[in-house]
């Protein structure tokens, strides 16, 4: 049986091949084994976005921000998906959160 990391890697390969539905399945399989695997959540969000399902992309990006609240990329992705969905106010709020987290990282040095 494949590990969560191996399934996530498979998702990356499928995503690169443009096989978004199969990538989504691989990421979901990885997350079934390790619900906190942030790389799989990032991949899942991007695969849903590329497949044209912004609602699920947004849901996956929100999960990133719940699992890893200090991940600026999660908020950046969330902002991007909100913008594509026409939710500009939400996009700006998520982008601001990403900036704050980046500044905090810079201050920590």
């Amino acid at each position: 049986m494949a590990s969560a990391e191996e399934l996530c890697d498979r998702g990356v390969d499928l995503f690169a091949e443009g096989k978004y539905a199969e990538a989504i399945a691989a990421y979901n399989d990885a997350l079934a084994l390790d619900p906190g695997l942030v790389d799989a959540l990032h991949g899942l969000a991007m695969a849903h976005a590329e497949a044209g399902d912004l609602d699920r992309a947004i849901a996956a990006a929100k999960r990133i921000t719940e699992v890893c609240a200090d991940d600026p990329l999660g908020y950046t992705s969330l902002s991007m998906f909100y913008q594509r969905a026409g939710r500009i106010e939400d996009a700006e709020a998520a982008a601001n959160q990403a900036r704050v987290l980046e500044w905090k990282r810079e201050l920590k040095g």
Side-chain angles (χ1 to χ4, degrees):
M1 179 179 209
S3 70
E5 290 80 11
E6 290 168 333
L7 290 165
C8 184
D9 289 344
R10 176 84 176 124
V12 170
D13 293 340
L14 290 164
F15 182 90
E17 295 170 13
K19 297 177 181 176
Y20 304 123
E22 292 175 51
I24 289 166
Y27 291 129
N28 281 325
D29 289 346
L31 291 165
L33 295 175
D34 183 355
L37 186 58
V38 176
D39 287 343
L41 287 170
H42 278 290
L44 181 63
M46 293 304 295
H48 277 305
E50 290 301 313
D53 191 342
L54 290 176
D55 288 337
R56 287 192 176 160
I58 289 168
K62 283 182 178 179
R63 282 178 55 198
I64 297 166
T65 66
E66 292 164 3
V67 169
C68 191
D70 63 346
D71 182 354
L73 183 57
Y75 287 97
T76 299
S77 295
L78 186 56
S79 175
M80 183 176 65
F81 302 146
Y82 277 144
Q83 186 174 9
R84 287 173 59 181
R87 296 173 57 179
I88 304 306
E89 192 170 304
D90 291 329
E92 290 174 352
N96 286 338
Q97 184 63 31
R99 277 191 290 277
V100 167
L101 291 171
E102 283 294 337
W103 290 334
K104 286 182 179 181
R105 280 188 179 182
E106 287 177 16
L107 289 174
K108 287 182 181 179

